[in-house]
Amino acid sequence: MNITIVGATGNVGRKIIEILEKKNFPIDALYLVASSKSAGSKLRFKEKEIEVENLETFDFKKANITFFSAGGKISQKYVPVAANYTTVIDNSSFFRMDPEVPLIVPQVNSN
């Protein structure tokens, strides 16, 4: 499974990376994505350094699941693009009240 984390260099993004590592989630490829200011930096995952990619040029076709943790404005612009190619889990509040976007609450309506 290929996983992308948008906002990987922020606090929430780093926590997602930490949880995926602790839970030993089956990942074939992990793509870390952030703004152009953070692109090129490196973060660790399972004793490997992964270079952060630029959100503006990232190809979402590479991902099976994409986590967004970069805020509402980023979600507004990039979630519709990503959703054409990957399952999106958005941590922002931007789509929360949109009747066209399902709100999933684990252990309540996860089926």
Side-chain angles (χ1 to χ4, degrees):
M1 173 138 343
N2 295 341
I3 304 294
T4 297
I5 302 172
V6 175
T9 58
N11 289 333
V12 175
R14 288 176 188 258
K15 188 53 109 173
I16 293 170
I17 294 167
E18 179 184 320
I19 290 169
L20 290 173
E21 188 166 6
K22 277 186 181 177
K23 296 292 184 181
N24 204 23
F25 193 81
I27 297 174
D28 296 317
L30 179 63
Y31 301 100
L32 305 178
V33 179
S35 70
S36 59
K37 289 193 299 188
S38 295
S41 63
K42 295 182 180 181
L43 295 173
R44 293 191 69 75
F45 178 74
K46 293 189 176 183
E47 300 181 20
K48 289 167 60 177
E49 283 194 335
I50 300 174
E51 187 170 329
V52 176
E53 298 184 48
N54 188 339
L55 173 60
E56 294 175 14
T57 58
F58 184 73
D59 181 6
F60 287 100
K61 293 176 190 169
K62 299 191 283 188
N64 301 107
I65 298 173
T66 298
F67 292 91
F68 273 80
S69 62
K73 289 186 183 213
I74 297 297
S75 291
Q76 178 183 15
K77 183 174 181 179
Y78 289 100
V79 164
V81 174
N84 287 317
Y85 307 105
T86 177
T87 298
V88 172
I89 300 170
D90 181 25
N91 289 309
S92 79
S93 62
F94 185 79
F95 294 99
R96 196 163 290 155
M97 299 306 289
D98 187 329
E100 300 295 315
V101 178
L103 177 63
I104 306 298
V105 180
Q107 299 174 341
V108 174
N109 66 342
S110 57
N111 293 337

